[in-house]
Amino acid sequence: MPGVSSFRTFLSRAALGAPAGLLAAFTALAVAELVAGAVRPAAGPVTVVGGAVIDRTPAGVKDFAIRTFGENDKTVLQLGILAVLALLAVALGVFSLSHRRAGAAGVLLFGIVGAAAALSRPDSTGIGDVLPSVLGALAGALTLYLLASAAAAAQPTAAPEETGAGRDGWSRRGFLAAAGVTTVTAASAATLGRFLAGRHGHGAVASRESLVLPRAASPAPALPAGVQLKVPGISSFTTPRADFYRVDTALTVPRVDAATWRLRIHGKGVIRPRTYTLDELLARPLIERDITLTCVSNEVGGPYTGTARWLGVPLAGLLTETGVRPPSRGGTADQLVARSVDGMTLGSPVEEVMDGRDALLAVGMNGEPLPFDHGFPVRMLVPGLYGYVSACKWITDIELTTFDAYDPYWVKRRWARKAPVKTQARIDTPKPFARPSAGTVTVAGVAWAPHRGVSRVEIRVDDGPWQDADLAAQAGIDTWRQWSYRWQATPGGHTITVRATDGTGQAQTEQRAPTMPDGASGWHSVFVTVP
Ligand SMILES: Nc1nc2c(c(=O)[nH]1)N[C@H]1C(S)=C(S)[C@@H](COP(=O)(O)O)O[C@H]1N2
Ligand SMILES: [Mo]
């Protein structure tokens, strides 16, 4: 029965080839992480391939990933890469039982892919970045070759008389021993790599812990009593650090040492180009402001918006000192391109940055140095503009240029060149599909129209008339504003809809628009059932 026996052969090949392939892949990754830990953690193969995938992912898919996986999007991506790698490793392992050399060469191909990805990263520091992928692949190729040899010796051949029980038993033990040694060695390499990678950020962590923020020359105006409504379920006016959304392309959060950090300002119309240290920035008069930051990927009713008390250097003053003038006063540059240590580029309009609003190089967030996640040691913020055109984290370079001459990262990916934040209102409570009891139900939430302020919020239940919500105090035009509405809930299913009007009197549009290319629009509504 050739069918059955070839199926058996296939099974026994898979039983040896699959672990051989997986162990080779594990060894390759472990050695790569060890080398990356010693050289540069951000040059590890999973990180660089993941980064390359992120940069090449179409905007729609990226938006879908942010929507579906939220802040776990990067974990999902890395697990996806590992899953694809595992499948390929199994196939390569089985293949290498009969083609040892070709199998090992196959592993080296992965090394080339990793090395190419490492060199293509915008934050690549040079040829050394290929080392993790190349050395990892060499270790993986060698492992696969040796395991495939051990497996070949352990494999029952077609002619049973040639494989005496004794020899077969010995070979299987040989393969198991080789596999065991490989596992232990690779696991040790991976652990050591993790340890070394952790030590890499030590200087940065220490520099953040020892940073004492100066007092603001211009402190934030005291929050008016009543900016915070006492309604259970409403977002807090100041978003605590742990709840502040995070959106960026960084697979490993850059840990920048404040002592060696520099910010360079240069480009078109810059008469006196300059490089600043952090101490030089901190020696300037700082201002402190409550500012709401919003992501262009935020869906109607979505979570990617937050308000913090930011401390920072006024950016317009710094630009003026270097000789920059806004286009309306004869300046030649209309775009400011901020570049981060990880190679991200964000472009802001010079006119808005210098029009008197509190555009900041922020160093503090809610009374502490910026968290690493949010851009330590310095990030940019421009009230009124979406994060992707204004809020560069881990900033290290500001170049004055024109919108005609240069498209930054997100614009290359078809997002709009200019993107003021659209007026939005969000119902925080009740939650969608809640079952509140009949009687008085407090509907409440936040509304934002950064740099225009919120002048009115209205609520509509089902197809009823629009009713004015009660507005909480307005802290300033750059922050969101809370609102609440006492609804007399009657049994049945109801749709509650909210809309806001900004400080200029412009009502929020009902027109639904997707997040791409310049931010979602439309009214937020929730459906609830009153039992
Ligand atoms: N270096 C860097 N800065 C960045 C980004 C990024 O990917 N890299 N993302 C931007 C986007 S799209 C937004 S919405 C804000 C989010 O800031 P947060 O993560 O502190 O909330 O950061 C901006 N700054
Ligand atoms: Mo964003």
Side-chain angles (χ1 to χ4, degrees):
M1 290 219 296
V4 170
S5 95
S6 67
F7 182 66
R8 282 222 186 96
T9 316
F10 171 77
L11 270 190
S12 88
R13 285 169 61 89
L16 293 166
L22 287 172
L23 276 175
F26 178 46
T27 306
L29 286 179
V31 169
E33 290 307 321
L34 172 62
V35 177
V39 180
R40 209 169 72 83
V46 178
T47 306
V48 294
V49 170
V53 170
I54 290 178
D55 287 356
R56 282 162 188 77
T57 303
V61 178
K62 199 167 343 194
D63 219 38
F64 162 82
I66 294 177
R67 260 200 322 272
T68 315
F69 306 116
E71 306 199 354
N72 297 323
D73 56 346
K74 299 188 185 76
T75 314
V76 171
L77 171 65
Q78 277 163 317
L79 290 178
I81 291 175
L82 291 179
V84 170
L85 218 50
L87 281 177
L88 293 171
V90 167
L92 203 55
V94 173
F95 170 76
S96 66
L97 291 185
S98 44
H99 304 79
R100 248 169 273 173
R101 297 232 174 92
V107 179
L108 294 180
L109 278 183
F110 286 94
I112 292 174
V113 171
L119 286 180
S120 80
R121 302 309 302 140
D123 61 344
S124 166
T125 54
I127 195 76
D129 285 351
V130 307
L131 284 179
S133 294
V134 168
L135 295 180
L138 283 173
L142 183 65
T143 307
L144 187 59
Y145 187 84
L146 294 177
L147 287 177
S149 308
Q155 236 189 61
T157 55
E161 59 275 21
E162 280 174 32
T163 57
R167 181 172 167 255
D168 192 31
W170 181 88
S171 308
R172 268 166 203 273
R173 275 202 294 281
F175 177 77
L176 284 178
V181 170
T182 309
T183 308
V184 172
T185 313
S188 314
T191 310
L192 183 60
R194 278 284 141 98
F195 172 75
L196 290 176
R199 280 171 52 109
H200 253 264
H202 269 196
V205 172
S207 75
R208 181 172 181 276
E209 276 165 5
S210 63
L211 178 61
V212 180
L213 293 177
R215 279 175 171 279
S218 164
L223 288 177
V227 290
Q228 176 69 58
L229 299 178
K230 290 184 187 64
V231 177
I234 198 171
S235 319
S236 88
F237 177 82
T238 300
T239 312
R241 164 182 172 170
D243 298 345
F244 207 100
Y245 79 94
R246 174 184 163 206
V247 170
D248 56 56
T249 59
L251 279 173
T252 51
V253 174
R255 296 197 162 212
V256 180
D257 189 333
T260 53
W261 175 86
R262 296 288 183 275
L263 173 69
R264 175 169 172 237
I265 301 183
H266 62 112
K268 208 172 164 63
V270 180
I271 299 168
R272 293 169 291 278
R274 242 203 94 165
T275 300
Y276 297 85
T277 65
L278 185 61
D279 284 341
E280 285 168 337
L281 289 186
L282 294 179
R284 301 175 66 91
L286 303 185
I287 67 173
E288 188 186 38
R289 297 289 183 264
D290 295 304
I291 297 170
T292 297
L293 178 63
T294 306
C295 181
V296 71
S297 296
N298 195 48
E299 295 283 329
V300 171
Y304 300 129
T305 181
T307 301
R309 178 159 287 191
W310 307 93
L311 174 75
V313 179
L315 178 54
L318 215 56
L319 292 174
T320 305
E321 273 180 29
T322 62
V324 175
R325 279 176 297 154
S328 62
R329 278 185 272 138
T332 50
D334 60 5
Q335 182 177 220
L336 179 160
V337 173
R339 206 171 259 106
S340 70
V341 299
D342 63 337
M344 168 58 63
T345 51
L346 307 185
S348 316
V350 177
E351 194 61 47
E352 274 80 349
V353 168
M354 300 188 78
D355 72 358
R357 72 184 74 197
D358 291 318
L360 286 181
L361 289 175
V363 292
M365 181 181 187
N366 292 344
E368 58 170 335
L370 288 178
F372 287 111
D373 284 359
H374 295 291
F376 181 83
V378 180
R379 77 172 307 166
M380 216 175 107
L381 283 176
V382 183
L385 307 184
Y386 283 118
Y388 85 102
V389 289
S390 66
C392 186
K393 305 194 274 191
W394 316 293
I395 191 172
T396 186
D397 186 287
I398 288 179
E399 180 175 358
L400 279 297
T401 177
T402 61
F403 282 104
D404 281 345
Y406 184 76
D407 282 340
Y409 185 93
W410 300 102
V411 175
K412 285 199 185 92
R413 289 157 180 82
R414 301 198 348 259
W415 293 88
R417 285 198 172 75
K418 297 194 181 176
V421 181
K422 295 181 179 176
T423 303
Q424 280 286 309
R426 180 177 78 196
I427 299 171
D428 286 339
T429 180
K431 294 272 173 247
F433 309 112
R435 299 174 65 83
S437 312
T440 306
V441 172
T442 303
V443 181
V446 285
W448 60 89
H451 209 57
R452 300 183 299 281
V454 171
S455 62
R456 185 178 197 187
V457 172
E458 295 159 284
I459 290 291
R460 185 179 70 184
V461 179
D462 301 322
D463 294 325
W466 286 99
Q467 309 272 351
D468 272 307
D470 293 321
L471 288 173
Q474 169 90 66
I477 58 170
D478 292 340
T479 67
W480 59 15
R481 187 170 190 178
Q482 298 191 346
W483 54 268
S484 70
Y485 176 78
R486 287 163 68 82
W487 171 42
Q488 299 310 319
T490 53
H494 298 288
T495 302
I496 310 168
T497 306
V498 66
R499 70 175 182 196
T501 300
D502 73 14
T504 72
Q506 183 77 44
Q508 175 187 341
T509 179
E510 177 183 9
Q511 194 77 47
R512 277 266 166 184
T515 55
M516 182 79 157
D518 64 353
S521 69
W523 296 335
H524 186 214
S525 58
V526 298
F527 179 81
V528 300
T529 303
V530 179

